[in-house]
Amino acid sequence: MSRQLADASASAETTLEAEKTSLLKQPKAVWATALAAVFAFMGIGLVDPILPAIAKNLEASTSEVSLLFTSYFLVTAVAMLISGFVSSRIGGKRTLLIGLAVIVVFASLSGLSGSVEQLVGFRAGWGLGNALFVATALAVIVGVASGGTGTAIILYEAALGLGISLGPLLGALLGGWQWRAPFFGTAVLMAAAFLALLALLPKTPAPAKKSRFRDPLLALGHRGLSTTAASALFYNYGFFTILAFTPFILGMDAYGIGGVFFGWGVAVAVFSVFVAPVLQNRFGAVKVLSGTLFLLLLDLVGLGLAAGHSVIAVVVLVIVAGALLGVNNTIYTELAMGVSDSPRPVASAGYNFVRWMGGALAPFAAAQLGEHFGPQVPFFAGAVAMAVAILVVFGGRKYLTSHEPHLV
């Protein structure tokens, strides 16, 4: 038995070392796609520092401004169902380029908005481009990266973390000057990403088997994938409660909010790339996921207790949440990509359709709860969502454990 444990430990360590060694040795297509992904993910947190300014300049309530997130993620979620249909017919490169072009158009229109209703509508169009890009980018990186699926997902999550951290920073730097400027800045970055992919990403042929509209929904019939997606839905509710509602209780200008969420995003990036793989190889996905979800539950309770009382405590808890979110993001993504027997693009589309619904619901629900019951309640609701996410993982753990590596 001890010899078997030693062999298992050596195998896990060898796998981890191989992934680390190959992490930086990637084809140029991977780096071009990852860079474009950084720019795309910057759009998620870009509006965070300027939410109060948008509310003031467009004479909108907190709930109305929160719809910038809701429209974006709702369209992103639904459009995930067509991303595989499109990419399987025209190829990954063309789908990525179309997604980026759509983002350029709607980011530019967002900067020209004259009312909050227009801005919400243009963010919805932005969400369509985001869906086409994000789902396809993950599949492209997994398909062409060297070092296996684990390495590809780490690269993808690194792009996610870097984009999420830089988005608020860009939003603060430009938004401190003019609230419209971050939208035009994003359009310029997306145009640069478009040109980079056009030049550096080789043509990716359409797969032999074309994806149908219903395939992502059928993929969710697998208990492992449906368990992962359902848990991620509630997890994302907590995630975007923090991202979308916290700016309204910090009482800071655009630069202050941008600085807080830059620190939050750095924590997301560092823990997704360097900590999550180590923890998963040591303890397994289910244990790590359950543990970090519980810690995130406690963090959200702490945010609820601190809201309206201590800005310093809120800032610290937001950055701590970033570390926990970074670990969870990597584990959820790896589970979604490998826990079922569905093709990765199809599994990714089904998973993202469900989980982004949490991102669509949380900002508006949090704003409504905050307006009617006080700034503490949205965070307590997020803590309840974490409890449900844990229960879902616990209930479906037998469908997830087959995906785990050999453990010491």
Side-chain angles (χ1 to χ4, degrees):
M1 179 63 72
S2 60
R3 178 62 181 272
Q4 290 176 335
L5 289 173
D7 290 343
S9 175
S11 176
E13 290 177 3
T14 300
T15 301
L16 190 59
E17 287 301 318
E19 289 182 355
K20 288 180 180 178
T21 301
S22 62
L23 186 61
L24 299 178
K25 297 179 180 179
Q26 300 295 333
K28 63 181 181 181
V30 172
W31 294 118
T33 307
L35 179 61
V38 170
F39 293 157
F41 286 126
M42 286 173 68
I44 294 177
L46 175 85
V47 299
D48 248 38
I50 57 174
L51 288 176
I54 291 173
K56 179 180 179 181
N57 284 275
L58 297 182
E59 299 180 349
S61 67
T62 301
S63 294
E64 289 174 327
V65 173
S66 73
L67 291 174
L68 295 178
F69 285 102
T70 296
S71 64
Y72 177 81
F73 288 119
L74 183 61
V75 172
T76 294
V78 175
M80 285 292 176
L81 298 178
I82 69 169
S83 61
F85 178 87
V86 173
S87 65
S88 67
R89 283 161 175 76
I90 65 174
K93 180 175 182 177
R94 289 181 179 177
T95 305
L96 291 175
L97 292 175
I98 290 172
L100 289 172
V102 170
I103 294 174
V104 169
V105 170
F106 282 100
S108 300
L109 290 173
S110 295
L112 297 172
S113 298
S115 68
V116 71
E117 291 81 10
Q118 288 181 355
L119 187 52
V120 168
F122 293 142
R123 279 283 285 181
W126 190 336
L128 172 62
N130 182 65
L132 291 174
F133 179 85
V134 168
T136 309
L138 178 56
V140 168
I141 290 175
V142 170
V144 300
S146 60
T149 301
T151 298
I153 289 174
I154 291 172
L155 287 168
Y156 178 81
E157 292 299 332
L160 170 63
L162 190 59
I164 282 181
S165 64
L166 292 177
L169 190 62
L170 177 67
L173 293 175
L174 296 179
W177 167 57
Q178 205 331 310
W179 73 265
R180 298 178 186 274
F183 296 110
F184 294 124
T186 299
V188 172
L189 288 175
M190 292 298 101
F194 181 96
L195 295 176
L197 283 185
L198 189 64
L200 299 177
L201 182 62
K203 181 179 179 181
T204 54
K209 184 178 180 181
K210 293 181 172 59
S211 176
R212 301 167 297 179
F213 281 122
R214 64 180 183 272
D215 284 348
L217 295 176
L218 294 176
L220 290 169
H222 186 280
R223 290 296 300 274
L225 185 60
S226 61
T227 296
T228 303
S231 179
L233 184 152
F234 292 99
Y235 160 70
N236 270 263
Y237 183 94
F239 185 122
F240 288 100
T241 293
I242 296 172
L243 183 64
F245 185 71
T246 306
F248 292 105
I249 68 168
L250 285 173
M252 298 178 177
D253 61 12
Y255 297 112
I257 297 171
V260 171
F261 279 94
F262 174 69
W264 172 83
V266 169
V268 171
V270 170
F271 276 73
S272 65
V273 175
F274 299 106
V275 179
V278 175
L279 291 177
Q280 184 174 2
N281 277 278
R282 179 65 179 86
F283 300 106
V286 173
K287 288 182 179 179
V288 175
L289 201 57
S290 300
T292 50
L293 285 171
F294 179 71
L295 292 176
L296 190 55
L297 183 157
L298 296 179
D299 190 275
L300 281 158
V301 170
L303 281 167
L305 295 174
H309 300 290
S310 174
V311 172
I312 294 176
V314 169
V315 170
V316 171
L317 288 168
V318 164
I319 294 174
V320 170
L324 299 171
L325 295 169
V327 173
N328 281 348
N329 284 349
T330 296
I331 293 178
Y332 272 119
T333 302
E334 187 165 337
L335 282 172
M337 297 299 284
V339 77
S340 74
D341 53 1
S342 297
R344 292 190 183 104
V346 174
S348 175
Y351 163 73
N352 281 293
F353 165 68
V354 175
R355 74 148 174 161
W356 286 124
M357 286 297 180
L361 175 62
F364 184 72
Q368 286 286 305
L369 290 172
E371 286 178 351
H372 291 92
F373 303 105
Q376 299 82 17
V377 176
F379 298 109
F380 294 146
V384 172
M386 293 305 100
V388 177
I390 294 170
L391 291 175
V392 172
V393 170
F394 183 77
R397 63 191 183 282
K398 70 177 181 179
Y399 303 105
L400 305 179
T401 51
S402 60
H403 179 69
E404 295 183 349
H406 295 293
L407 308 176
V408 295

